[in-house]
Amino acid sequence: MLSLAPPTRPRGRGLRSRSLLAALCALLVAAALTPTAAAEPTQDWTRGEPRLVTPWTHDVSPDNALPEYPRPQLTRAQWHNLNGVWEFAGASEGDRPPFGETLPERILVPYPTESALSGIQRHEDHMWYRRTFHVPDQWRIGEHNRLKLHFGAVDHAATVYVNGHEVASHEGGYGAFSADVTDALTSSGEQEIVVGVTDRTDATWQPVGKQRRVPDRGIFYESASGIWQTVWMEPVPAGHVDTLDMVPDLDSSTLRLTVNTEGDTDGMTVEAVVRDGRRVVSRTQGAPDEPLELSVPDAKLWSPDSPFLYELDVVLRDRHRPVDEVSSYFGMREIGTALGEDGRLRITLNGEVLFLLSTLDQGYWPDGIYTAPTDEALRWDLEQHKRLGFNTVRKHIKTEPDRWYYHADRLGLLVWQDMPSMRTGERPPAHAAERFETELHELVEQKKNWTSIIGWVPFNEGWGEWSREDTGRIAEEVAAQDPTRLVNAHSGVNCCDSLGDSGAGHVIDWHAYVGPATPMPDETRVSIDGEHGGFGLEVDGHMWFGEGHAYQMLPDSDSLTAAYVDNQRAVLQAARSCAISGAVYTQLTDVEHEVNGFFTYDRQVEKMDFDAVREVNEEIIAGADGSGDGGTEPGPGTPGLDGVHAYPFDDGSGSVATDAVGDADATLTGAEWTDGVRGGAVSFDGAGEVDTGAALVDTAGDYSVSAWVRLDEAGDGFQTVVSQDTGTDSAFFLQYSGQDQRWAFSYAGLRALSSEKPEPGRWYHLTGVRDARAGTLSLYVDGEPAEHESACTPQEGSGNTVIGRAQYGGEQVDHLRGDVDEVRVFDRALTKEEVAELARS
């Protein structure tokens, strides 16, 4: 049954209050009451008409456009919110700034220009923002203090002027930036801000995530241009605290803190006070811009079940006189990896195996696009994760305002943070790659203090990727920049535009729809399902386009719930059998044409039975404990290099090929006898087969298949040497992959490939090895290892083993054009030494 959310707004679960949270809330409420100096006249602003309204759409007005304190990890008592109605105008490249001019339109900041909440509801490549403001006299700017102007995020390139003076420029739609505007101020009265913005979205190579100038009614959506996070200002001393670096260390029960300062702080000291409510945990003094160790004895650890946060007060002193005071908070937690009871590498939180059960969270809104209509709405999305039994969020190809991470910290949600990708479809030029890396490192630097963030994801499915080697280098550089978190170099490395596995980072991540994906961990990297699911349901009156799509559509809520539960039970089995450490379900809400959410895009309708969702999710987290499934180990198999079946093809005539080891003589159809590597061979001309008449391979266990093969041609078509039928797709393929123009040992959709294209007319020795315990497919060419691919789940098939063709979609396909000799089948995984000996013999 579909559940309609309450008509005013949905409500999530409350959390146990803590003194830190109460103190921060009091500060934020008081700060929110600071008057916002809106541009005049506000009555000229009119909200646009969104296609869908959320429960918070009509709560937004010029007087309360995201009034909350925007930087919860570094708070000061005095500040001023500059959100509200600004003047606005579209522009052309090269236009002069409109200093002192009244612009013709009104926009509600900080909502993107394309959004209904902005009041503009269209895209502009170039645009101007303008407003005026007053500086409170009590801030004593110029006499004792400086004035800082802050922008949460502007998409994409911004230049900021105060009273006609350029004070800041910034490129990148996801990073915060600030400017000291003191020297640009007039002595009194009204001050003018003009902001010029250029955002050409996917007409350039700038990182855009899912934004498109023309949405595709698929997986790419409306663009979100201009100012889309809070604009605000605050007074700071000439020498002041700029940022805090905070790294919890559970082994020493300390917080490593660096108080980074700006301005003249020579000779000053800092004092850092850790509090648990009103109780002082420790006091530490030291020098600014130098690492400090703050004692946190008997630390209360942060986790999804107990998201405890310590308060932190920092005072910058000149001798004994306080110069600057800021407040913050932190959680004591540690993400890592360790062997589970089954001997496979798993993700750990605070030293204990924890399965990271996540949604794919796109962070889109039908009324605000990139910007949630209210802070309550921003928090509500995260609260639903807890309600549904998830402990993790994958923030997909987007970033969020600081308050989103603050809410995740408070609620106890782990976060995979993606880097917004460049556009898809091509490989980016060098200047774009350099820009991407700059913005990636800015993202990591600005968000590395959030307790909730436990992993960075530079690339997704090869979107905007330009080099597998550079992907590996970037993963290593991000790990060096932030050694306290996991780096998932490439989510969906098995998919789409990916250039392949770089081998770098801490995570092997596959996507599979409907899945789940089942990569196996290796010796140094854990494995996760980075995306799966995507079950969809259309809900009349709650769809962006009036209709939608998903990876698998269901007719009603009951069948949707049943599909989800069955799919998640497969996730639990993958955790036990394949040792995946996490899974990401697509997705929290519908987005535009995608209708595969738990909620409709407007957050008005619950599409599944949430009690059933929560029950299976909690079962996964409890059951995926690293102990494995207790399955039986594959047997040792038959020793020696003769195999259990062998076809030397020395018969030379007739329609039967003798099995020289076993009793499965094979029947030739449409194949001819020819000369082989030694003695005879069989030849195929794009048709025919050699059918052994039996299933020679137990595809659920260990096996190896080898053959000598010589191609007549190496073009774009697939050509299979040995396979085993299933009725649909072959259980395995020892083949030439025309798509890759390489030798391959494959499952449908997964290939271990050779490094070079084969030469027609030359004999090659191929060996494919399936190691069930390791969960791998391995290809060897002429006795040398070519590639290993993670493949936990076997492709089961009890049909006949066949030489010279494959089966795909139930059809006989991929016929060989060439010659085959000395096919051998083994009931065990050969070692690399045995493969080398087999090729030599």
Side-chain angles (χ1 to χ4, degrees), residues 461-654:
E461 295 183 353
W463 299 357
E465 188 184 22
W466 61 92
S467 160
R468 180 168 60 180
E469 292 72 26
D470 281 334
T471 296
R473 171 185 58 79
I474 288 167
E476 292 169 355
E477 289 175 356
V478 170
Q481 183 181 3
D482 180 9
T484 70
R485 290 177 174 84
L486 304 177
V487 178
N488 180 353
H490 196 154
S491 184
V493 71
N494 65 317
C495 180
C496 314
D497 294 328
S498 171
L499 294 173
D501 187 2
S502 68
H506 307 102
V507 182
I508 302 167
D509 178 326
W510 285 6
H511 295 175
Y513 287 101
V514 292
T518 55
M520 290 280 287
D522 61 21
E523 294 180 355
T524 60
R525 296 181 297 171
V526 299
S527 68
I528 68 168
D529 162 292
E531 291 180 29
H532 77 281
F535 297 105
L537 176 65
E538 295 182 324
V539 182
D540 288 343
H542 297 272
M543 290 182 286
W544 184 253
F545 288 110
E547 38 78 25
H549 81 280
Y551 292 96
Q552 181 177 323
M553 296 296 292
L554 281 302
D556 53 49
S557 179
D558 289 343
S559 57
L560 180 67
T561 302
Y564 176 81
V565 170
D566 287 347
N567 191 246
Q568 290 298 88
R569 289 196 172 126
V571 168
L572 179 55
Q573 185 57 42
R576 290 172 171 166
S577 300
C578 304
I580 63 171
S581 283
V584 181
Y585 180 80
T586 303
Q587 59 186 319
L588 179 65
T589 73
D590 296 351
V591 183
E592 295 192 7
H593 202 261
E594 295 184 65
V595 292
N596 48 14
F598 291 103
F599 295 90
T600 51
Y601 191 20
D602 54 14
R603 278 75 167 173
Q604 300 279 10
V605 180
E606 299 173 358
K607 297 169 69 174
M608 297 188 201
D609 178 345
F610 282 6
D611 289 338
V613 169
R614 182 179 180 86
E615 182 179 353
V616 72
N617 287 350
E618 290 178 340
E619 181 183 348
I620 292 169
I621 294 172
D625 59 1
S627 59
D629 62 357
T632 58
E633 291 285 326
T638 304
L641 294 181
D642 290 338
V644 291
H645 299 278
Y647 300 91
F649 298 124
D650 290 337
D651 306 81
S653 63

